[in-house]
Amino acid sequence: MRLSARSNITTLNGVGGKMQSNFKSLHISNVGDLIRFVPFKYRDTTDILDIKTFKELETGTFLAQIVEVKNVFTRYGKSFTTVKVADNDSKTNLTYFSQPYLTNTFQPGDWYIFDGKITIKGNRKNIYNPKYEKYVGDPNMQVTLGKIFGTYHETKGITSRQIRKLLLQIKNDIPTLIKEYIPKKILEEEELIPIEEALTQVHFPDSTKSLELARERLAFEEMLRIAIKIETQIEEQSKKTSLPITIDTTLQNKFLKSLPYKLTNDQQLCITEIFNDIEQNNPMNRLLNGDVGSGKTVVAASTILQVTQSGFSSILLAPTTVLAKQHFETLTQLLTPFKVDVELCISAEKTISDADNKLIVGTHAILFQKDLPKDLNLIIIDEQHRFGVTQREQLLNIGENTPHYLTMTATPIPRSLTEVVFGSTKVSTIKEMPTNRLDIETKYVPTKKRIDCFKWIDKKIHESDFLEQAFIIYPLIEDNDTNIKSVKTQYENLTNSYFSNLKVGLLHGKMKDKDKNKILEDFRKKKSNILISTSVIEVGIDIPDATIIVIENAERFGLAQLHQLRGRVGRGDLQSYCFIIPSENIEEREKTLERLNYFTTHESGFDVAQYDLEQRGPGEVYGVLQSGIPRFQIANLGNIELLTKARQVARKLLLEDNAKLNKISKKLFK
Ligand code: ADP
Ligand code: MG
């Protein structure tokens, strides 16, 4: 059978069933997958030293002749091999462990290239287990040593070296296995090398320059994949129609006058952008990207008002009943003076009224309603990433005309992510916080000061005459056998000690919705002073007199999440505090401290999210968004320039020739 990219990986010499299943965890099942599995780092061994220089540098690649090889057996049954090597003016000894067969490999008189380093123990210098490859007389003809070679991500049962050896088997076949699919003209315009050359050079680079070109081509390809998706979506959206909204500026001005504050410039700008969109007969598709507490709700409210005065209905979807109720109350207050009918829908059983020209605020229970208003023309989703794509599609495909669509983020998303994940969506950003806001004082509390912190909180609440309230957050619901604290145990401990004179509530995700709501309502009504909770309170809860939040085992949380939690306080006129307490055993760990320190010294959610993204990667930070985040092997997620270039190419392909684009898409999305 002829070898093809689709040939099973087992067609390669040396790959059996066991290795085949190990390869699965690297997402490699056929020859093409292997060819597309690229090294994550490289070592340049093209600079071949003599022994003397190697000894001076104590590390590197050197050429030497085998003089003598022998196995030494120790009293404990272990063996090692000593190899004496020399060149024209120096000599040295090498030591290999547990490889007695090397006495057959190394033949005195043969020349080898070695790669390793000198280890110093006391006054003894040793070279342990250096890499070796027989010298064939010309460095260009070497396979690994003497060349630039890659290191691959390994998995159980598969080493980087094995991967390299397998690739070597098919190195010369790559040009026949992988065929170019991007039109030559585009390759020339974008100064990209052909795919078969890129995939050969990325594994076996001839030079630093050729490696760079190979990686450029492959990074471009990864971006092109995203770009084609984005441009196709934009194309599809542009074909949809919607009913335009006529903006009533007099009404908007009246609405603004009714607010107890002045909008920030960013809020104003976002409203202008949104109004501009909904005036079109092509549906709006926009993301409102804002920090916690930046005031997204009022932006949503003014949009709803315009849609209502134009005679249409709107829906606002929230991720939880608590948030739906909160939005219902806020929006009722903001919009009833302007004659907007607001309905709440948080249970699938209760059907919505058949009145038209209204606003429905609710949870996904809305999706179970048999009949949505016929005049629906605006859908707003708060905390978008909690909803699945299909649910969204369900709402948008309800009739001949598509409703205008706005999504609001729970936490700010850095631009590097919005560009790739929300590429086909327009983005409005609120960076600026309302000016009346006092900064939240964020403090790192070392564990030895933990008790002082609790005493201070107790005093503070008493001094405020029980006006001020506090959250205390733990990572776990119940203890496990680590030293990570849980809400249940700490609830017991704290109510019996530092907070015995206060009323304390307990909240966690395993409680029934009804109980959760009651606990939160009690806290809102000040029936409790302190709420001990897991991170379930992270999303959107607005309790203005909660001025203190303590987060224990703080290093267990991502910075974006800590920022969300911090956003639970600082919502009123009083000075607010956020205390982060690490786990006991991590206090020496520099990286963790650095991360927490970044958090305590940065207020902007955009900064914090960007830092988190760089440190932990997108999957960790945006678990729920993950399905939308592409996995790049080479391209850098934040390389907006490359994405822009790829989008231009995708657009060109789209306009030029759909058949060609289909062919390319097939290749890229196989
Ligand atoms: P988020 O963007 O997190 O959803 P909200 O819309 O809940 O934020 O707003 C947080 C608080 O800030 C609310 O109490 C709101 O009334 C208030 N607010 C919104 N905009 C302004 C502003 N421009 N000036 C002062 N307060 C504002
Ligand atoms: Mg909100």
Side-chain angles (χ1 to χ4, degrees), residues 48-51 61-65 86-87 111-114 133 135:
I48 301 175
L49 312 170
D50 54 24
I51 295 177
T61 313
F62 62 97
L63 181 64
Q65 194 176 27
D87 60 17
W111 286 85
Y112 272 81
I113 298 180
F114 296 96
E133 183 179 325
Y135 182 58

Coordinates of all heavy atoms in Angstrom, one line a residue, residues 48-51 61-65 86-87 111-114 133 135:
I48 N 30.2 23.1 16.0 CA 30.9 22.0 16.5 C 32.3 22.4 17.1 O 33.1 22.9 16.4 CB 31.0 20.9 15.5 CG1 29.6 20.5 15.0 CG2 31.8 19.7 16.0 CD1 29.6 19.5 13.8
L49 N 32.5 22.1 18.4 CA 33.7 22.6 19.1 C 34.8 21.5 19.1 O 34.5 20.3 18.8 CB 33.4 22.9 20.5 CG 32.2 23.8 20.7 CD1 31.8 23.9 22.2 CD2 32.4 25.2 20.2
D50 N 36.0 21.8 19.4 CA 37.0 20.8 19.7 C 36.9 20.6 21.3 O 36.3 21.4 22.0 CB 38.4 21.2 19.3 CG 38.8 22.5 19.8 OD1 38.3 23.0 20.8 OD2 39.7 23.2 19.1
I51 N 37.6 19.5 21.7 CA 37.4 19.2 23.2 C 37.9 20.3 24.1 O 37.3 20.6 25.1 CB 38.2 17.9 23.5 CG1 37.6 16.7 22.7 CG2 38.3 17.6 25.0 CD1 38.3 15.4 22.9
T61 N 28.5 21.2 21.8 CA 28.6 20.1 20.9 C 30.1 19.9 20.5 O 30.7 20.9 20.2 CB 27.8 20.4 19.7 OG1 26.5 20.9 20.1 CG2 27.6 19.1 18.8
F62 N 30.6 18.7 20.5 CA 32.0 18.6 20.1 C 32.3 17.3 19.4 O 31.5 16.4 19.5 CB 33.0 18.7 21.4 CG 32.7 17.6 22.4 CD1 33.6 16.5 22.4 CD2 31.8 17.8 23.4 CE1 33.4 15.5 23.4 CE2 31.6 16.8 24.3 CZ 32.4 15.6 24.3
L63 N 33.4 17.3 18.6 CA 33.7 16.2 17.8 C 34.9 15.5 18.4 O 35.9 16.1 18.8 CB 34.1 16.7 16.4 CG 34.5 15.7 15.3 CD1 33.3 14.8 15.0 CD2 35.0 16.4 14.1
A64 N 34.9 14.1 18.5 CA 36.0 13.4 19.1 C 36.0 12.0 18.6 O 35.0 11.4 18.1 CB 35.8 13.4 20.7
Q65 N 37.2 11.4 18.8 CA 37.4 10.0 18.3 C 37.4 9.0 19.5 O 37.9 9.3 20.6 CB 38.8 9.9 17.6 CG 39.0 8.7 16.8 CD 40.3 8.7 16.0 OE1 41.2 9.4 16.5 NE2 40.3 8.0 14.9
A86 N 39.2 11.4 22.3 CA 40.3 12.3 22.1 C 40.1 13.0 20.7 O 39.4 12.5 19.8 CB 41.6 11.6 22.2
D87 N 40.7 14.2 20.6 CA 40.9 14.8 19.3 C 42.4 15.0 19.1 O 43.2 14.5 19.8 CB 40.0 16.0 19.0 CG 40.2 17.1 20.0 OD1 41.3 17.1 20.6 OD2 39.4 18.0 20.1
W111 N 34.8 8.4 14.7 CA 34.6 9.7 15.1 C 33.1 9.9 15.4 O 32.2 9.4 14.7 CB 35.0 10.7 14.1 CG 36.5 10.8 14.0 CD1 37.3 10.1 13.3 CD2 37.3 11.8 14.6 NE1 38.7 10.4 13.4 CE2 38.7 11.5 14.3 CE3 37.1 12.9 15.5 CZ2 39.7 12.3 14.7 CZ3 38.1 13.7 15.9 CH2 39.5 13.4 15.6
Y112 N 32.8 10.6 16.5 CA 31.4 10.9 16.9 C 31.3 12.3 17.3 O 32.2 13.0 17.7 CB 31.1 10.1 18.2 CG 30.5 8.7 17.9 CD1 31.4 7.6 17.5 CD2 29.2 8.4 17.9 CE1 30.9 6.4 17.2 CE2 28.7 7.2 17.6 CZ 29.5 6.2 17.2 OH 29.0 4.9 16.9
I113 N 30.0 12.8 17.1 CA 29.7 14.1 17.6 C 29.0 13.9 18.9 O 28.1 13.1 19.0 CB 28.8 14.9 16.6 CG1 29.5 15.2 15.3 CG2 28.4 16.3 17.3 CD1 28.7 15.9 14.3
F114 N 29.4 14.6 20.0 CA 28.8 14.5 21.3 C 28.1 15.9 21.6 O 28.6 16.9 21.2 CB 29.8 14.1 22.4 CG 30.4 12.8 22.1 CD1 31.6 12.6 21.5 CD2 29.7 11.6 22.6 CE1 32.2 11.4 21.3 CE2 30.3 10.4 22.4 CZ 31.5 10.2 21.7
E133 N 26.2 11.0 18.1 CA 25.8 10.6 16.8 C 27.1 10.4 16.0 O 28.0 11.2 16.0 CB 24.9 11.6 16.1 CG 24.4 11.2 14.7 CD 23.5 12.2 14.1 OE1 22.7 12.9 14.8 OE2 23.6 12.3 12.8
Y135 N 29.8 10.5 13.3 CA 30.2 11.6 12.4 C 30.4 11.0 11.0 O 31.2 10.0 10.9 CB 31.4 12.3 12.9 CG 31.8 13.4 12.0 CD1 31.0 14.5 11.8 CD2 33.1 13.5 11.4 CE1 31.3 15.6 10.9 CE2 33.5 14.5 10.6 CZ 32.6 15.6 10.4 OH 33.0 16.6 9.6

